């Protein structure tokens, strides 16, 4: 098998493709997957950079990055039912955040869902289904969204954020507005994601006037988090779902929460889902329905594992419109883009990388797999 290893903490050159590794086998309650596509996201960059190296349980080199994969069932561990060898599936991480950049992945059965016969491209599936499932849990179990409420989503074209508009509409949201930086407004206007409006995040008052929201999804953090208070109605909920701003010193004045009668809750899917696995099946089912209904439509590019360094460099420089996805002949970067790539371009994440003569459905060769 083959897998991309982070051999040290550091820049993208820390990623190295290793071949001829032993094929892993599933244990009880596990599923071995022949990977066709594997997700690449900002969290992978943070792990590779070593940002969390001092926190217990975080990966240390050498490790295989990657949280989510799409592919076909290779083998079933003891006690696994409801799946068959050869069935097309998508799997979410069990919380370790590692193992995805490989041609064989061992997934937990409850976090693995079939997409067999749904007509969903695996590159699209791994790009949107896990994020849409995480969005479903955030909206139903943390934000407690009620039909008819309005939702504001920051970083609207990013990986996790892109899962929210379709699921929010599915749950009965009356209006879903996204925010992006000024340089991404054109891409925002052209996105296929079902936002009612996308506005400039740097001046919410000018962009939104007196409009107030019931739920705010904020994976950005920093000053945008506190400026969001001005567009929140009494009784509204803000979900802190990330820190893409890289502002680790930012703090929230709890007196403002009291005075405005608003709530701020944290949502880290890597912590929440393993603690509450009972919410995952319904979330995955809803995510598949949203994807099949076209509520998560986005363009996806693919790069080979051998170009993992390139994929990380592109994401690090923000030269993509959203998250990356990896593919076992390649790396898939998923996201919205104003043009749909020709059918024979590689599709990598949310930008279009023009790699002619390479198709999405590249399969690993015999004997290849993941660590």
């Amino acid at each position: 098998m083959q897998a991309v290893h982070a051999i040290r903490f550091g820049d993208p050159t820390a990623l190295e493709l290793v071949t001829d590794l032993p094929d892993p086998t599933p244990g009880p309650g596990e599923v071995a997957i022949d990977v066709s596509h594997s997700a690449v996201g900002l969290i992978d960059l943070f792990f590779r950079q070593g940002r969390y190296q001092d926190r217990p349980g975080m990966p240390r080199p050498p490790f295989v990055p990657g949280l989510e994969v799409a592919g076909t069932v290779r083998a079933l561990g003891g006690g696994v039912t409801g799946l068959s060898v050869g069935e097309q599936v998508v799997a979410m991480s069990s919380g370790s955040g590692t193992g995805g950049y490989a041609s064989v992945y061992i997934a937990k059965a409850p976090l693995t869902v079939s997409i067999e016969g749904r007509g969903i491209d695996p590159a699209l599936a791994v790009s949107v289904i896990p994020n849409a499932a995480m969005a479903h849990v955030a909206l139903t179990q943390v934000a407690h969204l009620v039909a008819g409420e309005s939702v504001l989503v920051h970083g609207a074209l990013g990986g996790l954020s892109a899962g929210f508009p379709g699921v929010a509409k599915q749950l009965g949201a009356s209006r879903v507005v996204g925010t992006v930086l000024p340089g991404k407004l054109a891409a925002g206007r052209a996105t296929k994601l079902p936002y009612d409006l996308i506005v400039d995040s740097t001046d919410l008052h000018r962009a939104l006037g007196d409009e107030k929201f019931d739920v705010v999804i904020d994976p950005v953090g920093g000053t945008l988090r506190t400026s969001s208070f001005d567009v929140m109605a009494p009784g509204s909920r803000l979900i802190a779902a990330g820190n893409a701003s890289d502002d680790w010193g930012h703090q929230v004045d709890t007196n403002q929460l009291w005075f405005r009668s608003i709530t701020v809750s944290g949502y880290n899917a890597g912590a929440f889902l393993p603690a509450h696995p009972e919410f995952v099946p319904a979330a995955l089912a809803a995510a598949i329905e949203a994807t099949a209904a076209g509520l998560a439509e986005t363009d996806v590019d693919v790069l080979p594992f051998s170009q993992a360094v390139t994929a990380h460099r592109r994401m690090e420089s923000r030269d993509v419109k959203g998250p990356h996805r990896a593919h076992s002949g390649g790396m898939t970067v998923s996201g919205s883009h104003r043009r749909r790539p020709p059918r024979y371009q590689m599709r990598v994440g949310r930008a279009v990388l023009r790699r002619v003569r390479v198709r999405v459905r590249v399969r690993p060769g015999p004997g290849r797999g993941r660590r």
Side-chain angles (χ1 to χ4, degrees):
M1 75 176 202
Q2 61 176 345
V4 175
H5 287 69
I7 60 174
R8 64 179 185 279
F9 290 131
D11 65 20
T13 62
L15 300 176
E16 181 178 290
L17 180 63
V18 179
T19 59
D20 298 322
L21 295 166
D23 294 339
T25 56
E30 295 181 335
V31 180
I33 298 172
D34 281 322
V35 175
S36 63
H37 300 79
S38 177
V40 184
L42 280 175
I43 190 66
D44 301 337
L45 274 64
F46 293 160
F47 283 162
R48 189 209 72 228
Q49 293 163 354
R51 294 196 187 191
Y52 307 128
Q53 59 183 293
D54 297 328
R55 300 189 182 185
M58 293 295 101
R60 301 189 64 83
F63 65 91
V64 178
L67 277 73
E68 302 121 2
V69 305
T72 55
V73 174
R74 176 188 181 94
L76 300 173
V80 177
T81 60
L83 294 172
S84 303
V85 172
E87 191 168 1
Q88 197 171 39
V89 294
V90 172
M92 299 175 65
S93 168
S94 61
S96 68
T98 60
Y101 295 11
S103 53
V104 176
Y105 179 77
I106 302 299
K108 299 293 185 184
L111 300 178
T112 305
V113 63
S114 175
I115 58 170
E116 187 73 29
R118 298 308 300 263
I120 304 173
D121 188 309
L124 178 66
V126 77
S127 300
V128 301
I129 289 174
N131 287 323
M134 289 184 278
H136 186 274
V137 173
L139 289 170
T140 58
Q141 305 304 322
V142 185
H144 304 290
L145 178 70
V146 175
E149 290 189 318
S150 57
V151 180
L152 180 68
V153 182
H154 293 316
L157 303 182
L160 178 60
S161 294
F164 279 90
V167 172
K169 294 280 189 177
Q170 189 182 52
L171 293 170
S174 60
R175 180 169 166 83
V176 183
V177 174
T179 78
V180 295
L181 291 170
K184 293 190 175 181
L185 282 171
R189 295 187 191 103
T191 184
K192 301 178 182 71
L193 295 170
Y195 288 106
D196 294 296
L197 178 69
I198 291 186
V199 301
D200 182 354
S201 63
T202 63
D203 192 345
L204 295 180
H205 179 71
R206 188 176 75 171
L208 297 169
D210 294 329
E211 185 172 4
K212 305 293 184 183
F213 294 86
D214 300 297
V215 172
V216 177
I217 305 300
D218 178 25
V220 177
T223 57
L224 183 59
R225 185 157 294 163
T226 43
S227 66
S228 300
F229 295 173
D230 293 333
V231 296
M232 294 176 67
S236 59
R237 294 83 71 198
L238 183 149
I239 305 304
N243 186 31
S245 66
D246 204 25
D247 184 352
W248 295 96
H250 183 267
Q251 297 181 345
V252 170
D253 179 0
T254 57
N255 283 324
Q256 288 294 315
L257 308 185
W258 157 67
F259 184 74
R260 297 170 184 266
S261 192
I262 60 177
T263 299
V264 174
S265 299
Y267 176 65
N268 172 4
F272 190 93
L273 297 183
H276 301 281
E278 67 274 18
F279 299 134
V280 173
L284 284 170
I288 290 173
E289 292 305 319
T291 304
L295 294 174
E297 185 66 23
T298 185
D299 292 331
V300 183
D301 298 335
V302 176
L303 284 176
F305 278 161
S306 60
Q307 293 186 34
V309 170
T310 299
H312 273 229
R313 280 177 173 158
R314 286 176 58 83
M315 178 162 279
E316 211 157 59
S317 66
R318 307 303 170 104
D319 189 26
V320 293
K321 303 297 187 289
H324 287 58
R325 301 287 173 254
H327 146 172
S328 89
M331 208 83 168
T332 313
V333 184
S334 85
S336 303
H337 194 274
R338 61 176 174 268
R339 291 178 298 170
R340 198 167 182 83
R343 62 183 177 87
Y344 49 155
Q345 291 176 351
M346 296 177 71
R347 294 205 261 165
V348 183
R350 315 204 68 149
V352 175
L353 304 184
R354 299 178 180 279
R355 300 299 301 262
V356 295
R357 299 189 302 278
V358 181
R359 295 180 181 271
V360 166
R361 290 181 177 83
V362 178
R363 303 282 185 181
R368 293 181 177 179
R370 152 208 171 244
R371 186 188 118 166

